[in-house]
Amino acid sequence: MRLSFDSDVEEFRAEFAAFLTEHQPGEDEARERSKSSADVPEWARRWQRLLFDNGWLLPANPPEFGGRNASVLQQYVHLEELSKRRIYHSFNPQGVGIIAASLLSFGTEEQKHRWAVPILRAEITAALGMSEPGAGSDLAGLRTRAVRDGDHYVVDGQKVWTSGAHDADVLLTFVRTDPTAPKHKGISVLLIPTDTPGVTRRPFPSACEPDDLDFNEVYFEGVRVPVANLVGPENGGWTVANGSLGHERTLLWLGYADRLQDLLADFRPRTVFDRDAYAGLVMDSYALRLLGSAALARESRNQQDVPALSVLKVLGSEAVQTATEHALTAVGTDGLASPAISSPPSPLNLENFWCGWFERYLRSFAGTIAGGTSEIQRNIIAQRVLGLPRA
């Protein structure tokens, strides 16, 4: 395997690196932090708009949507350069990476310009209304219903774990429009502005962030949504869902690889890991990057390999969790207070790495849940990689 890039990719990298050197906000400007994943400070909105206007927000997009028609390898080096500097391109990641991307894939031209462009330019923020009580990873089990009434849908039901909903301007909401159809075939997707009468958002704390509220319960009571806000065909929401999560997962493994590398690099000089455990994590790190690079090469040749993303998701998220658990065990009670890395992160990084090891360990569980739980990923691997029958 040749882990190098052609000249056009390296030229793309150099151009982006020069842009970052010249334009990235400084620490003083970026001191204000987000309170949730849809609460974007004004400096971060300016930063996102600057990226959009110069084609560096989502480089795979065409220029009118904040990109430059970049290849998958160019997208990869774009993320590598952001990672090197601990920079995040948006503080509303689900809005940019999932919701706007889904609108560009499945929305009408009017929806793209009315909703996707303002999200990409940080003029509005968005949240994803997918999980429900009793239907977290099982989207097909959702019960929030939408009944057609003339040129509107009337929505009733509840969502939960809706990150940033209390700060978001719009929700991309998965609803059941045909209760008589098979579970996967009766789902539709609606854009619901959060100021619509009947929408109630209740933020609640997590064990990791008791002061910074992000999770929400969202209730819909007789909410009237224009039919024009339907994304994709009626009862075609399962396809939209798979596309939405596909946008999230394509290069998700790179984030896990970076986290694992940070964890190992920070503890190497401290020699606090058990040597066998440390060696195992180093091998996980190499395996993750090699398997990820192979998947990237296949994608660059237009060879779709969706099951490979499930393998990378399980390996990456669980390796990070294992590494964090070993670190917490090694530092003992000091992990309740000591920082999880030896130097403060860039102010442009979405995550606050300057926290105790116990908090880092708690956060590691999110990686095995968000974007499809490890259990669901193992089902995909069993059926689509190993060819095993459905349970």
Side-chain angles (χ1 to χ4, degrees):
M1 181 184 295
R2 182 169 61 89
L3 296 179
S4 59
F5 299 100
D6 293 335
S7 59
D8 64 315
V9 177
E10 291 300 344
E11 289 170 5
F12 185 91
R13 182 202 299 273
E15 183 181 355
F16 183 47
F19 174 87
L20 292 176
T21 299
E22 181 178 357
H23 295 290
Q24 71 181 58
E27 289 192 21
D28 290 340
E29 182 181 1
R31 195 167 299 279
E32 184 184 359
R33 300 295 298 174
S34 297
K35 293 291 186 182
S36 81
S37 57
D39 168 43
V40 183
E42 186 52 41
W43 70 266
R45 291 177 186 263
R46 292 194 301 269
W47 168 240
Q48 186 174 317
R49 280 193 288 271
L50 183 67
L51 289 168
F52 178 96
D53 291 341
N54 287 274
W56 292 121
L57 181 64
L58 294 175
N61 288 357
E64 63 267 31
F65 298 119
R68 45 184 66 200
N69 295 312
S71 69
V72 66
L73 295 180
Q74 289 172 331
Q75 295 171 57
Y76 176 83
V77 298
H78 171 266
L79 290 177
E80 271 199 329
E81 289 304 309
L82 290 173
S83 174
K84 285 178 184 177
R85 302 173 189 234
R86 293 190 180 279
I87 294 174
Y88 212 81
H89 61 310
S90 171
F91 283 73
N92 180 216
Q94 71 273 16
V96 169
I98 301 177
I99 296 164
S102 297
L103 290 173
L104 296 184
S105 295
F106 300 101
T108 64
E109 287 303 310
E110 193 272 341
Q111 289 171 346
K112 292 175 185 179
H113 289 91
R114 181 182 175 187
W115 300 104
V117 170
I119 292 170
L120 293 171
R121 288 183 50 80
E123 294 164 358
I124 63 174
T125 59
L128 183 63
M130 189 174 278
S131 296
E132 297 186 5
S137 295
D138 179 22
L139 176 65
L142 70 82
R143 291 181 293 179
T144 296
R145 66 186 183 276
V147 178
R148 182 75 178 260
D149 180 22
D151 59 357
H152 284 76
Y153 290 99
V154 180
V155 181
D156 291 276
Q158 179 188 356
K159 299 293 179 180
V160 73
W161 313 114
T162 314
S163 298
H166 62 301
D167 289 314
D169 298 294
V170 65
L171 305 172
L172 186 73
T173 311
F174 288 76
V175 297
R176 186 162 299 285
T177 43
D178 186 352
T180 66
K183 289 201 306 181
H184 296 77
K185 296 183 178 181
I187 297 171
S188 299
V189 185
L190 296 173
L191 284 162
I192 304 180
T194 55
D195 61 359
T196 306
V199 176
T200 302
R201 297 163 287 167
R202 295 178 182 171
F204 60 90
S206 70
C208 299
E209 299 172 291
D211 297 324
D212 291 348
L213 300 178
D214 193 27
F215 290 142
N216 278 253
E217 294 176 302
V218 182
Y219 296 88
F220 305 94
E221 298 177 275
V223 177
R224 296 184 64 82
V225 182
V227 171
N229 288 19
L230 175 70
V231 179
E234 185 173 279
N235 300 320
W238 189 254
T239 300
V240 178
N242 286 328
S244 300
L245 295 178
H247 290 302
E248 183 182 27
R249 291 172 181 161
T250 302
L251 288 171
L252 187 63
W253 65 268
L254 180 59
Y256 295 128
D258 289 338
R259 288 187 182 93
L260 190 56
Q261 182 175 311
D262 286 342
L263 287 163
L264 293 173
D266 195 59
F267 266 83
R268 187 179 296 118
R270 305 189 193 188
T271 62
V272 295
F273 273 126
D274 171 83
R275 282 192 295 179
D276 288 343
Y278 183 83
L281 291 168
V282 169
M283 287 188 283
D284 283 346
S285 179
Y286 276 102
L288 182 59
R289 287 194 178 273
L290 288 170
L291 289 171
S293 297
L296 188 70
R298 287 193 294 273
E299 188 168 344
S300 72
R301 298 191 293 269
N302 294 317
Q303 298 172 357
Q304 296 294 322
D305 192 359
V306 175
L309 301 181
S310 292
V311 174
L312 291 166
K313 171 70 164 60
V314 172
L315 173 59
S317 62
E318 294 189 357
V320 168
Q321 186 176 86
T322 299
T324 313
E325 182 179 10
H326 280 300
L328 179 62
T329 300
V331 299
T333 55
D334 289 343
L336 296 174
S338 61
I341 60 171
S342 55
S343 59
S346 159
L348 290 177
N349 199 296
L350 179 69
E351 296 188 65
N352 178 15
F353 286 93
W354 191 244
C355 56
W357 275 112
F358 181 67
E359 184 174 345
R360 291 296 295 154
Y361 175 61
L362 291 179
R363 290 187 182 201
S364 72
F365 283 85
T368 64
I369 299 171
T373 66
S374 289
E375 292 81 2
I376 294 295
Q377 302 305 324
R378 283 185 165 85
N379 285 343
I380 294 171
I381 294 166
Q383 294 163 25
R384 301 183 61 180
V385 178
L386 302 178
L388 299 175
R390 292 178 66 89

